[in-house]
Amino acid sequence: MTNQTQQALKQARQHVLAQTQMIYNLIPPTVSYTTEGTVLIIGPEDLARLAADKLSTMANRAILANEAITSQDEAHLERVMAAATDVESYYNKLLGIKGFLGQFQVSVEHQDGAAELSLVAIRKPHFDLILDLSSAPCLNLEMLPPGYFYVGQDAAKLEEALAQIPELIGQFDKPRYVKINAELCAHDRNGINGCNRCLNFCPADAISSVAKKIEIDPYLCHGAGSCTSACPTGAISYDLPTPQALHGYLSKIINRFIEQTQTAPVILFHDNAAGAAVINDDLPGDILPVALEEITVASIDHWLSALALGARQILILNTDATPPTLNQMLKGELALANSILDEMGQPQRISLIAPSMLSQLDATLTISLDWPVTVPAPFVATTKRNSLFAAIDHLNSQAAAIDSCLSISNIPYGKISVNADKCTLCLSCVAICPTEALQDGGDKPALHFTEQNCVQCGLCEAACPEKVISLTPQINFDKAARQQQHTLKEEAPFECIRCGSAFATQSMVQRMLDMVGAHSAFSANTQRLKMCGDCRVKDMFEDILQDPEKQLR
């Protein structure tokens, strides 16, 4: 590609990005932190005391000395002795830390028990900020809560923290990055545990199961987006931007770039911090960078949708700042997305790249150079699953148009099977299904299933009293079969032998006869099991009237 062509593409990119804005909620929901300036410094006492001395403007300071002093140098010790002489040091064993900016609770051993250090040290119910100079963080989290500064013994990080901490006095607002629709959540229904995917991927430990419901602590949430990517039903969704807003933005920049250049662009997802710092105008002109709070805000549905909307390839810029948990989730989703493309005969056009690769992308981009330009899809984003499958169906139609199934374990897509011979159509599975993948037959005893709606949460399998349901995770490329409502079992209703009204299924009555027909309460008259509730009561009273002493014998 000539320099002149590259320059024209870069100008087109600049114009497209300048005229296209991501649509955000004008009044986004927020959470507020309030601080008065109380700070706890944890670490070797010498380093902690020197740091405390530089935080003299804070309202209250306390030191928790949890490691030996770092140097016996005489001059160093003299400086330590003269530093922060009005700050108390505590040597209690640390038991635990929880909380966030303005609300840190630090529990320590105290008089054969436990005590809140803030109550002992500063007569306050909590610390507002924590500066941790320990050799390893006292909080074992990949993403530390706001207000917790871990610097270890890194002088540069310490100076940065010492500059920031005094500024964190007052009230501060932060967006509520995600929202939950409990009606869609497949975590727990009727006391039965189902999906736990979001619980496995939060690097800030902001997600928990409380009273069998998923809750996200907005004060701990960093907006990593891993929960929204992992959630199979869309019950957890990102709010800044919404999935629909991100989809709309991708559609606009791709279409506008193609209109202006007749060139299919490459979409580069990167985070707002470490990723944005390495993005510059040296980027090839056909690459459109898309900044997100974290790279996991865009997930498989956005990647495949971008390809379906006409993008040539997807790049995801992964930096050292990405926590291990997000890396694990990202690589799993990436493998699934490329397996889908591979199955339909397309090149694996979604790549994870490091910052060092930005200056040498030629080899990575050749993957998609020979693939025919995708005719942009006409669909718009609705739900997460519908957007994903719409993208898959469009890409499939542009490739081999296969109708096979791709079997991959532990994915939230697939079908269920029912042993129809043993199913009694009790419909416990229908009652517990969070996505209406399973439905009843209305006036007729039947069990229906729609594969596209199934998230493989396992609730139906766990709820089935007969244990006749099994799950098969897969991606079904047959659009009609996947969207069609299949009948897993149906049968004629059982009619009361006395009044003729339908009151149960044939198999349910037969099961009752098999299980309790020999019981002494029914052995004298198993015919009552074939009656509806009203007729059964009437028959019992008629029996008593004919022989009042029968019940006493």
Side-chain angles (χ1 to χ4, degrees), residues 8-22 248-263 265-267 285-290:
L9 290 174
K10 288 181 179 181
Q11 289 176 353
R13 175 177 68 199
Q14 184 178 7
H15 183 259
V16 166
L17 295 179
Q19 72 173 168
T20 312
Q21 298 296 320
M22 191 91 73
Y249 177 75
L250 292 171
S251 177
K252 288 176 183 177
I253 61 172
I254 291 169
N255 287 334
R256 287 172 179 173
F257 189 82
I258 292 174
E259 286 174 3
Q260 292 189 28
T261 66
Q262 286 71 56
T263 301
V266 175
I267 296 296
D286 58 347
I287 297 180
L288 302 182
V290 177

Side-chain angles (χ1 to χ4, degrees), residues 303-304 307 313-314 316 334 337-338 341 348-352:
W303 304 338
L304 293 177
L307 293 178
Q313 193 167 339
I314 306 298
I316 304 157
L334 191 68
N338 278 321
L341 292 173
Q348 297 188 0
R349 295 186 284 153
I350 307 174
S351 307
L352 199 62

Side-chain angles (χ1 to χ4, degrees), residues 151-202:
V151 301
Q153 296 178 21
D154 186 315
K157 287 183 178 179
L158 176 60
E159 287 304 313
E160 186 178 347
L162 292 174
Q164 290 182 30
I165 288 173
E167 297 177 357
L168 293 175
I169 301 175
Q171 182 170 312
F172 307 90
D173 293 333
K174 183 187 78 170
R176 284 180 179 262
Y177 292 105
V178 298
K179 57 186 177 181
I180 301 179
N181 181 348
E183 295 298 315
L184 290 177
C185 184
H187 171 57
D188 190 284
R189 293 288 174 109
N190 302 337
I192 298 176
N193 183 258
C195 175
N196 294 301
R197 290 179 182 271
C198 63
L199 293 170
N200 299 327
F201 290 110
C202 182

Side-chain angles (χ1 to χ4, degrees), residues 496-517:
C496 175
I497 60 173
R498 179 165 174 161
C499 69
S501 63
F503 73 95
T505 63
Q506 299 274 356
S507 54
M508 180 67 76
V509 172
Q510 187 57 52
R511 185 170 178 80
M512 286 194 296
L513 289 169
D514 294 341
M515 292 181 66
V516 301

Side-chain angles (χ1 to χ4, degrees), residues 23-288:
I23 298 175
Y24 291 100
N25 186 346
L26 294 178
I27 309 177
T30 60
V31 294
S32 296
Y33 302 94
T34 302
T35 73
E36 297 176 353
T38 62
V39 59
L40 174 67
I41 303 102
I42 307 175
E45 186 174 8
D46 55 335
L47 300 183
R49 186 158 294 281
L50 291 172
D53 194 60
K54 295 181 179 180
L55 293 171
S56 58
T57 59
M58 303 303 288
N60 288 285
R61 295 163 292 164
I63 293 171
L64 179 61
N66 67 341
E67 294 179 9
I69 61 173
T70 60
S71 173
Q72 296 292 338
D73 178 74
E74 208 170 298
H76 172 75
L77 293 177
E78 285 181 6
R79 286 197 304 273
V80 171
M81 293 293 290
T85 54
D86 58 335
V87 178
E88 190 77 26
S89 290
Y90 295 86
Y91 306 92
N92 310 62
K93 180 180 179 181
L94 177 64
L95 297 178
I97 300 174
K98 61 180 180 180
F100 42 82
L101 178 65
Q103 292 286 336
F104 283 109
Q105 293 178 306
V106 180
S107 177
V108 296
E109 281 188 355
H110 182 65
Q111 297 179 351
D112 299 324
E116 292 296 328
L117 183 58
S118 60
L119 294 174
V120 176
I122 59 173
R123 306 296 187 269
K124 299 278 186 179
H126 52 254
F127 292 104
D128 294 329
L129 299 126
I130 293 178
L131 176 61
D132 188 353
L133 295 90
S134 309
S135 54
C138 294
L139 266 181
N140 186 26
L141 294 173
E142 294 175 12
M143 283 187 163
L144 295 167
Y148 190 103
F149 293 82
Y150 176 70
V151 301
Q153 296 178 21
D154 186 315
K157 287 183 178 179
L158 176 60
E159 287 304 313
E160 186 178 347
L162 292 174
Q164 290 182 30
I165 288 173
E167 297 177 357
L168 293 175
I169 301 175
Q171 182 170 312
F172 307 90
D173 293 333
K174 183 187 78 170
R176 284 180 179 262
Y177 292 105
V178 298
K179 57 186 177 181
I180 301 179
N181 181 348
E183 295 298 315
L184 290 177
C185 184
H187 171 57
D188 190 284
R189 293 288 174 109
N190 302 337
I192 298 176
N193 183 258
C195 175
N196 294 301
R197 290 179 182 271
C198 63
L199 293 170
N200 299 327
F201 290 110
C202 182
D205 201 25
I207 306 178
S208 57
S209 177
V210 179
K212 299 180 179 179
K213 288 186 178 180
I214 292 296
E215 291 190 2
I216 298 177
D217 189 331
Y219 293 93
L220 295 177
C221 176
H222 281 261
S226 53
C227 55
T228 64
S229 295
C231 180
T233 66
I236 304 178
S237 60
Y238 212 80
D239 207 32
L240 289 168
T242 65
Q244 293 78 16
L246 179 54
H247 179 100
Y249 177 75
L250 292 171
S251 177
K252 288 176 183 177
I253 61 172
I254 291 169
N255 287 334
R256 287 172 179 173
F257 189 82
I258 292 174
E259 286 174 3
Q260 292 189 28
T261 66
Q262 286 71 56
T263 301
V266 175
I267 296 296
L268 171 62
F269 290 111
H270 65 88
D271 70 89
N272 272 325
V278 296
I279 299 291
N280 54 47
D281 198 49
D282 293 337
L283 206 62
D286 58 347
I287 297 180
L288 302 182

Side-chain angles (χ1 to χ4, degrees), residues 340-356:
I340 290 171
L341 292 173
D342 192 54
E343 183 74 10
M344 64 177 71
Q346 296 204 27
Q348 297 188 0
R349 295 186 284 153
I350 307 174
S351 307
L352 199 62
I353 64 169
S356 60

